[in-house]
């Protein structure tokens, strides 16, 4: 996939997210969503797929620590995946958009689109766990947007039609996480109807 394709896939995933947020009823933000998150918290967590791109681009990284999206995820899963901290970050982000979630999401979707026009593919983003090129970081945000928008659509009971390019990126990362996490056989056998996955199975468990 070319750099332009990766950018367009990310922005399309962002539009998918915004389109589902637009359908949340005014009284639906405090309803249950995912785990301990309410709809607003989950929306805030997904919204961070915009704000992290913006904040990490403020200071260039010194070197590339992660050459592929899967490398970034595998490191993040061992350092940034404390459930309590993730939940807290989601709630904090939810509070950022509490006044007008639809407007905030649409506004930041446009803001990040404009910002991307200023940043070259090989710009090294300075992330908390290390440096990664913009073009390798964007698929990780596409992954987050696709999965959590699907969560959001299910939580609020609206039809969800994820974009094909975003789903392709998501499936590629899922496959790589399964492969490098030692779960490839389980996933392949289950996906082809040969075996069932163990209860609670997740490729995010590294």
């Amino acid at each position: 996939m070319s750099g332009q394709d990766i950018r367009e896939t990310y922005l399309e995933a962002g539009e998918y997210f915004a389109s589902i947020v637009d359908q949340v009823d005014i009284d639906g933000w405090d309803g249950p969503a995912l785990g301990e998150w309410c709809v607003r918290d989950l929306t805030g967590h997904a919204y961070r797929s915009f704000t992290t791109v913006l904040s990490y681009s403020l200071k260039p990284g010194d070197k590339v620590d992660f050459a592929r999206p899967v490398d970034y995820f595998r490191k993040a899963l061992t350092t940034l995946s404390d459930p309590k901290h993730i939940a807290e970050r989601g709630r904090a982000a939810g509070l950022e958009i509490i006044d007008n979630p639809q407007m905030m999401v649409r506004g930041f979707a446009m803001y990040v689109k404009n910002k991307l026009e200023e940043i070259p593919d090989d710009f090294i983003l300075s992330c908390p766990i290390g440096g990664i090129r913009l073009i390798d970081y964007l698929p990780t945000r596409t992954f987050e947007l696709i999965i959590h928008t699907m969560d959001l659509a299910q939580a609020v009971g609206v039809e969800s039609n994820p974009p094909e390019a975003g789903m392709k990126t998501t499936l590629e990362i899922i496959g790589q996480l399964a492969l490098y996490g030692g779960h490839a056989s389980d996933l392949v056998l289950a996906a082809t109807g040969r075996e069932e996955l163990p209860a609670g199975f997740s490729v995010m468990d590294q």
Side-chain angles (χ1 to χ4, degrees):
M1 189 180 288
S2 70
Q4 185 59 36
D5 288 339
I6 289 171
R7 290 167 179 262
E8 290 177 358
T9 297
Y10 166 71
L11 293 173
E12 186 179 40
E15 172 57 31
Y16 166 56
F17 170 51
S19 73
I20 299 299
V21 172
D22 284 344
Q23 298 179 66
V24 178
D25 187 80
I26 191 170
D27 298 321
W29 294 104
D30 292 320
L34 182 68
E36 62 185 272
W37 279 336
C38 67
V39 170
R40 182 177 58 253
D41 299 335
L42 174 58
T43 301
H45 178 75
Y47 154 86
R48 294 188 73 250
S49 292
F50 298 145
T51 60
T52 54
V53 172
L54 296 169
S55 62
Y56 295 166
S57 68
L58 294 177
K59 182 181 178 182
D62 297 326
K63 62 185 178 70
V64 173
D65 296 295
F66 310 108
R68 302 172 301 176
V70 67
D71 298 327
Y72 174 88
F73 263 125
R74 295 197 72 209
K75 181 64 175 180
L77 288 170
T78 63
T79 58
L80 299 177
S81 60
D82 182 290
K84 180 179 179 180
H85 292 161
I86 292 174
E88 290 174 350
R89 288 196 296 269
R91 282 192 290 269
L95 291 175
E96 291 178 15
I97 63 173
I98 191 170
D99 290 336
N100 193 328
Q102 284 97 343
M103 184 183 72
M104 290 289 287
V105 167
R106 284 286 178 188
F108 270 81
M110 183 57 67
Y111 189 13
V112 78
K113 178 181 180 180
N114 293 337
K115 185 64 177 179
L116 287 178
E117 294 177 358
E118 305 171 5
I119 311 175
D121 288 355
D122 60 357
F123 182 94
I124 302 174
L125 298 173
S126 182
C127 303
I129 59 173
I132 183 170
R133 296 188 313 152
L134 171 71
I135 214 60
D136 297 316
Y137 183 68
L138 289 181
T140 74
R141 300 309 91 194
T142 296
F143 177 96
E144 294 280 345
L145 283 166
I146 292 294
I147 290 177
H148 288 307
T149 302
M150 293 173 71
D151 290 333
L152 181 62
Q154 185 175 41
V156 299
V158 300
E159 184 178 356
S160 172
N161 294 298
E164 182 176 326
M167 286 295 280
K168 180 175 183 291
T169 294
T170 301
L171 287 169
E172 287 174 351
I173 292 175
I174 286 173
Q176 291 169 350
L177 286 170
L179 178 64
Y180 298 119
H183 303 304
S185 295
D186 292 332
L187 187 60
V188 168
L189 290 172
T192 55
R194 285 159 172 78
E195 291 185 7
E196 294 184 0
L197 290 172
F201 173 88
S202 173
V203 296
M204 309 302 282
D205 295 333
Q206 298 291 304

